Amino acid sequence: DAEITQSPRHKITETGRQVTLACHQTWNHNNMFWYRQDLGHGLRLIHYSYGVHDTNKGEVSDGYSVSRSNTEDLPLTLESAASSQTSVYFCASSYDRSNTEAFFGQGTRLTVV
Amino acid sequence: QKEVEQNSGPLSVPEGAIASLNCTYSDRVSQSFFWYRQYSGKSPELIMSIYSNGDKEDGRFTAQLNKASQYVSLLIRDSQPSDSATYLCAVNGNNFNKFYFGSGTKLNVKP
């Protein structure tokens, strides 16, 4: 079955370290998204991609970067982790057409100490 | 102004009652609308999608869309304790390749 997987599921890192969260989907979706979820804020869009070599900033992109070298993967990098980036991160993907939903990975809980 | 607004709740209903969840959105040209359910510590899962004005029913769930009022709702009939979760409203905007989410409404169904 097609799926979307994130790794690691849990990560503890120190302030200032570079961290990369992985996202891999097997649906062959062109669209991929990274969200963070914090209490009271719902899901906020960090970065998104509409295809290979395409990346775009979302509403909370400062301190994060992504790259898209193939259809299946969209890794999220925190250049220099900050305590404000402690959150649950969700990767999602969708077809690039109307009337289609987003499918979510299991999430990564990141703690920056 | 947020793209998608929801009452954060919690909304408490007794088992067997109808739960009514509401959502408003700001982009008048939005095309697609979704309700996701999220259990604590889990990822969001799609329960309903609706694309045209009116009602759409699926089992105990009914989604209602009113584009003129920019309003989407979800009704859960015969609510069960297993329905206790946070419900997220999502809108696919004018550019249908981007999803905007509300902050979610927490539903508690009491046995």
Side-chain angles (χ1 to χ4, degrees), chain B residues 30-67:
Chain B
S30 297
Q31 299 295 319
S32 309
F33 307 87
F34 309 90
W35 284 99
Y36 285 82
R37 177 176 61 200
Q38 186 176 26
Y39 292 113
S40 181
K42 302 295 185 182
S43 59
E45 58 176 333
L46 182 75
I47 53 172
M48 288 289 288
S49 59
I50 187 166
Y51 309 122
S52 55
N53 278 329
D55 295 0
K56 178 181 178 183
E57 186 175 317
D58 184 359
R60 296 186 296 113
F61 299 97
T62 298
Q64 299 174 317
L65 173 61
N66 184 327
K67 288 188 178 180

Side-chain angles (χ1 to χ4, degrees), chain B residues 1 4 13 17 23 25-26 31 34 38 45 51 55 57 64 80-81 83 85 87 94 98-99 104 108 110:
Chain B
Q1 182 186 6
V4 182
V13 300
C23 169
Y25 60 94
S26 61
Q31 299 295 319
F34 309 90
Q38 186 176 26
E45 58 176 333
Y51 309 122
D55 295 0
E57 186 175 317
Q64 299 174 317
Q80 301 296 309
D83 294 326
Y87 289 79
N94 180 29
K98 195 186 294 186
F99 298 85
N108 292 326
K110 298 179 179 180

Side-chain angles (χ1 to χ4, degrees), chain A residues 35-39 44 64 83-89 108-112:
Chain A
Y35 293 89
R36 61 178 288 175
Q37 188 173 40
D38 305 288
L39 201 60
R44 292 184 291 175
Y64 303 94
S83 57
S84 60
Q85 295 176 308
T86 292
S87 187
V88 179
Y89 291 85
T108 295
R109 182 174 294 276
L110 177 68
T111 303
V112 182

Side-chain angles (χ1 to χ4, degrees), chain A residues 88-101:
Chain A
V88 179
Y89 291 85
F90 287 102
C91 180
S93 69
S94 74
Y95 287 109
D96 55 345
R97 54 178 168 80
S98 61
N99 297 351
T100 181
E101 69 267 30

